[in-house]
Amino acid sequence: MSTATSPVATLAAATLPAVVPIDKAGWRAAADSVGRNRSPLLRKRHATVLAVHVCSLAQALGARLVGLYSPIGAEADTRDLANALLVAGYQLAYPRLLPDGSALQMVPCAGPSALVRRPRARLLEPSGMACDPADLDLIVVPTVALSTDGTRLGRGGGHYDRYLPKMRAETGTVAAVAAGCVWPWQPQLAHDVRLRWACTENGLFVIG
């Protein structure tokens, strides 16, 4: 495994799907298949790796406010990470969509137990006032697939692609992604955001 302060490994691309997708929808479907087939043991390992390495990264960056997310479906579980950060004294923020779903905000929150279900949706969201994007020191981003240069494929809403550029340039950005979904996915467009670190079940990797 690599660490944030002394990386010793390169983020490796995974084996391509048997039928290589030709568009983002195809890559998302392939990633969903990988996620569904991950064993409970592998999911737990990923959650533990996130908790250990992102806490170390937060310390290395001198972070105060850390953005997380509440997982949906096969997304990497961040609850162990949230608890570890809270014990270490960090403040947390979670994403919330505007009522019309057009944009994402990050809202300071006491942790997973304080999240409430969004009406008519699977999302668990925080309540309260949103923070300024510049207040975030580190953010962990749910990632469907990731290229080895850090370009993120999300679920298609574009919410993080629009939000992340509003943060400070030095804010740490971490892709939470399955190792089996590190692919040279295409097409990559100008608005697709590149992240600075990737955390798979195999460790934390500095990108680029």
Side-chain angles (χ1 to χ4, degrees):
M1 292 184 185
S2 63
T3 68
T5 54
S6 57
V8 295
T10 301
L11 181 65
T15 302
L16 288 171
V19 178
V20 177
I22 61 172
D23 56 20
K24 288 184 175 182
W27 287 108
R28 290 187 184 102
D32 282 344
S33 178
V34 170
R36 287 194 304 271
N37 286 297
R38 291 213 299 175
S39 68
L41 183 62
L42 192 57
R43 292 171 189 265
K44 180 61 179 176
R45 175 181 170 184
H46 199 176
T48 300
V49 169
L50 275 169
V52 171
H53 286 284
V54 175
C55 275
S56 295
L57 180 59
Q59 183 179 17
L61 295 177
R64 293 173 299 172
L65 182 62
V66 180
L68 299 183
Y69 64 89
S70 180
I72 298 174
E75 290 176 346
D77 196 335
T78 60
R79 288 173 292 184
D80 288 351
L81 170 57
N83 291 332
L85 289 168
L86 289 171
V87 168
Y90 296 98
Q91 296 176 305
L92 305 182
Y94 281 80
R96 179 179 67 200
L97 295 180
L98 294 179
D100 63 359
S102 61
L104 178 148
Q105 302 172 317
M106 295 298 292
V107 180
C109 178
S113 62
L115 300 174
V116 296
R117 189 168 299 280
R118 183 179 178 89
R120 299 180 298 280
R122 294 184 297 165
L123 298 173
L124 293 176
E125 296 183 325
S127 58
M129 294 186 61
C131 66
D132 188 314
D135 292 339
L136 287 161
D137 302 304
L138 175 64
I139 187 169
V140 180
V141 185
T143 300
V144 172
L146 190 75
S147 64
T148 54
D149 71 352
T151 306
R152 171 184 177 268
L153 178 66
R155 291 194 169 274
H159 297 110
Y160 280 100
D161 289 331
R162 293 189 293 273
Y163 186 86
L164 295 176
K166 299 176 184 178
M167 300 187 308
R168 289 176 288 115
E170 63 269 26
T171 298
T173 53
V174 181
V177 62
C181 296
V182 179
W183 292 318
W185 63 270
Q186 296 289 337
Q188 295 179 12
L189 305 177
H191 65 263
D192 292 316
V193 173
R194 290 178 65 180
L195 305 181
R196 296 175 62 189
W197 284 273
C199 192
T200 76
E201 60 268 30
N202 295 325
L204 181 71
F205 302 87
V206 179
I207 298 171

